[in-house]
């Protein structure tokens, strides 16, 4: 997705830079890792191989949670179109574990690709478990609207061979109408907006 402000290579990079600016302003100590860069550099390759080896177990975890139509097309792997660079949500027709390649059906056209070095992305619940596995994450926080997703990612992480992190689900913030504050709805304010009018201490007290 292009950066609508035309300052960075993508909207994702724009958001990453906003996050880092915020963390720096509050003197957080952190190590920033770009998911895009790690995918493309092959950092996740060893874990991708484990995802491929446990493909059937992962499918057995996810498929029962999907509707009938989605079950027909679901795959943990999403190929990147070599022509457009877009992520394609299309079904797998062939799996070659020996050569680490997959064949996808793109409306009747076969697309063959290897799974490494950013040629494929993972569906997000599988991706979540993959990151826990790769980084040995031992604690993860998430809003209570993601509890069901976290349960599935926990099962996937176990199927891959590691203990999932301890989780902490937090309550959602509601607006004056009792509706969830959402970025997509725009019914809230950012921390930056808050700090234009109030002190960091007031925000800490509210939290």
């Amino acid at each position: 997705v292009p950066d609508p402000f035309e300052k960075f290579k993508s909207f994702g990079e724009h958001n990453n830079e906003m996050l880092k600016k915020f963390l720096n302003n509050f003197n957080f100590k952190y190590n920033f890792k770009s998911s895009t860069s790690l995918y493309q550099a092959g950092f996740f390759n060893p874990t991708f191989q484990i995802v491929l080896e446990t493909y059937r177990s992962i499918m057995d975890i996810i498929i029962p949670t999907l509707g009938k139509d989605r079950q027909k097309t679901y795959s943990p792997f999403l190929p990147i179109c070599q022509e457009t660079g877009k992520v394609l949500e299309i079904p797998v027709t062939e799996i070659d574990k020996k050569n680490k390649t997959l064949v996808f059906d793109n409306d009747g056209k076969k697309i063959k690709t290897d799974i490494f070095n950013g040629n494929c992305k993972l569906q997000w619940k599988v991706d979540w478990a993959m990151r826990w596995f790769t980084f040995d994450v031992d604690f993860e926080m998430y809003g209570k609207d993601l509890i069901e997703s976290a349960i599935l990612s926990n099962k996937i992480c176990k199927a891959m061979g590691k203990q999932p992190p301890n989780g902490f689900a937090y309550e959602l913030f509601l607006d004056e109408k009792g509706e969830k504050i959402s970025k997509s709805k725009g019914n809230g304010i950012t921390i930056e907006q808050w700090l234009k009018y109030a002190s960091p201490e007031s925000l800490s007290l509210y939290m």
Side-chain angles (χ1 to χ4, degrees), residues 178-200:
E179 297 179 355
K180 183 180 77 167
I181 288 177
S182 164
K183 293 186 294 293
S184 57
K185 289 183 179 180
N187 60 340
I189 64 171
T190 66
I191 290 176
E192 289 81 1
Q193 288 172 321
W194 179 300
L195 295 177
K196 282 183 180 179
Y197 303 101
S199 66

Side-chain angles (χ1 to χ4, degrees), residues 4-86:
F5 305 99
E6 299 181 344
K7 292 182 179 179
F8 302 99
K9 295 178 182 178
S10 67
F11 193 40
E13 186 176 335
H14 163 84
N15 289 326
N16 287 340
E17 292 304 315
M18 284 186 65
L19 171 63
K20 288 191 282 186
K21 181 181 178 182
F22 168 79
L23 294 173
N24 292 337
N25 285 342
F26 284 88
N27 298 316
F28 278 95
K29 294 180 180 179
Y30 64 92
N31 291 315
F32 179 80
K33 295 182 183 295
S34 163
S35 177
T36 301
S37 297
L38 294 176
Y39 261 99
Q40 294 173 348
F43 183 84
F44 293 132
N45 285 358
T47 316
F48 261 59
Q49 183 165 339
I50 294 172
V51 172
L52 185 64
E53 291 168 357
T54 54
Y55 183 95
R56 180 45 53 193
S57 297
I58 292 172
M59 292 289 282
D60 289 343
I61 292 168
I62 296 293
I63 290 297
T65 69
L66 305 175
K68 294 297 181 183
D69 290 339
R70 189 71 185 94
Q71 288 181 1
K72 298 175 183 177
T73 61
Y74 181 85
S75 164
F77 292 95
L78 302 171
I80 309 299
C81 179
Q82 298 302 311
E83 298 174 2
T84 65
K86 292 184 177 181

Side-chain angles (χ1 to χ4, degrees), residues 10-172:
S10 67
F11 193 40
E13 186 176 335
H14 163 84
N15 289 326
N16 287 340
E17 292 304 315
M18 284 186 65
L19 171 63
K20 288 191 282 186
K21 181 181 178 182
F22 168 79
L23 294 173
N24 292 337
N25 285 342
F26 284 88
N27 298 316
F28 278 95
K29 294 180 180 179
Y30 64 92
N31 291 315
F32 179 80
K33 295 182 183 295
S34 163
S35 177
T36 301
S37 297
L38 294 176
Y39 261 99
Q40 294 173 348
F43 183 84
F44 293 132
N45 285 358
T47 316
F48 261 59
Q49 183 165 339
I50 294 172
V51 172
L52 185 64
E53 291 168 357
T54 54
Y55 183 95
R56 180 45 53 193
S57 297
I58 292 172
M59 292 289 282
D60 289 343
I61 292 168
I62 296 293
I63 290 297
T65 69
L66 305 175
K68 294 297 181 183
D69 290 339
R70 189 71 185 94
Q71 288 181 1
K72 298 175 183 177
T73 61
Y74 181 85
S75 164
F77 292 95
L78 302 171
I80 309 299
C81 179
Q82 298 302 311
E83 298 174 2
T84 65
K86 292 184 177 181
V87 180
L88 303 177
E89 197 163 353
I90 53 179
V92 169
T93 57
E94 298 176 36
I95 301 173
D96 185 343
K97 292 185 178 180
K98 181 180 179 181
N99 295 308
K100 313 299 185 294
T101 59
L102 300 172
V103 176
F104 295 88
D105 177 12
N106 190 18
D107 290 329
K109 179 182 178 182
K110 287 188 175 182
I111 297 178
K112 184 176 182 179
T113 181
D114 74 83
I115 63 173
F116 297 144
N117 304 322
N119 289 313
C120 282
K121 191 180 182 301
L122 293 177
Q123 295 271 7
W124 92 265
K125 290 166 189 170
V126 184
D127 181 271
W128 205 8
M130 182 272 294
R131 295 169 193 238
W132 292 345
F133 187 100
T134 304
F135 293 112
D136 290 319
V137 175
D138 52 23
F139 182 73
E140 179 82 37
M141 295 176 66
Y142 41 83
K144 70 176 185 180
D145 55 333
L146 295 181
I147 288 176
E148 293 301 319
S149 297
I151 290 172
L152 291 178
S153 294
N154 269 260
K155 292 179 179 179
I156 293 168
C157 191
K158 287 180 180 178
M160 291 168 62
K162 278 190 180 179
Q163 188 66 23
N166 290 313
F168 179 81
Y170 52 82
E171 285 292 331
L172 305 177

